[in-house]
Amino acid sequence: MKLSFYKYQGTGNDFVLIDNRQHIFSKNDTKLVRQLCDRKFGIGADGLILLENDDAHDFKMVYYNSDGNESTMCGNGGRCIVAFANFLGIINRETTFVAIDGTHYATIEGDVVNLQMQEVTEIETHADYVFLDTGSPHHVTFSENISQIDIKTEGAAIRYGAPYFEEGANVNFVKKLSDAEFRVRTYERGVEDETLSCGTGVTAVALAMHHLKETASTHVVLQVEGGMLEVSFERVGTSYKNIFLKGKATQVFKGEILC
Ligand SMILES: N[C@H](CCC[C@H](N)C(=O)O)C(=O)O
């Protein structure tokens, strides 16, 4: 079978996107998703995203990690599917779509997508890390030697260790650059390696830094391996609302693959 796909990337987090409005893709085929994401035997990507019709929203997003399993929300993937929907002519400059963690409002201007993330009402503060869920689960910890860390080894140890074990969490290492700017490197669950950026991850870092009073700003810049992302938010009581993840999302190529 010939499968048409588009390749997108959002600050280096890269995805295979498929227009699945006609339900052409076999959604439970873990082996196929893994094969398509394989960087040697397939297209190569951190994840695969299906765009589908939805009765009550402009479209529906279904997200799979490169291990082939459907997973929780992908912030950079959310930015890429908004750019894809705009490219397909499904939306113009703004949209409301539905994903596994609920509905998301977003705007697009040129190649910059501003994506609203789910509200965050709980942040667990521990001695040397913070845990919160921004649509996906995130462990956030400081690292002074962030350039030298062996992310794959150190990230995997945390991701598979207590209290996460098999279900796991994404692991973000942070270094403060200035009052409202931080550098982030992320080990992603389901990719089981470092990715060049993680959208729900930088969102978690921005909120964690504000929660820990490392910044007083409600607009934070995150420098990631694949570029720069911005996160803005409002603190309402002990919750975070009106959270937006902003950055570039671009189409790299269109292709067909035999599978
Ligand atoms: N690997 C994540 C999902 C993708 C998150 C990341 N790509 C993003 O941009 O938020 C997980 O299984 O929790």
Side-chain angles (χ1 to χ4, degrees), residues 13 15 46 63 65 71-77 117 136-138 169-170 188-191 195 197-201:
N13 204 192
F15 309 99
D46 292 330
Y63 179 75
N65 279 316
S71 192
T72 46
M73 183 56 185
C74 177
N76 287 329
M117 307 297 281
S136 284
H138 286 278
N170 302 281
E188 265 201 56
R189 173 185 72 166
V191 179
T195 56
S197 82
C198 177
T200 51

Side-chain angles (χ1 to χ4, degrees), residues 13 26 38 62 76 83 90 118 145 155 163 173 177 198 207 241:
N13 204 192
S26 49
D38 189 287
V62 183
N76 287 329
I90 299 171
Q118 297 307 327
N145 67 334
F173 299 89
L177 300 176
C198 177
L207 301 182
K241 301 186 178 208

Side-chain angles (χ1 to χ4, degrees), residues 244-256:
F244 278 85
L245 168 68
K246 184 178 181 181
K248 288 185 178 177
T250 49
Q251 186 179 120
V252 184
F253 60 88
K254 174 186 179 188
E256 273 186 354

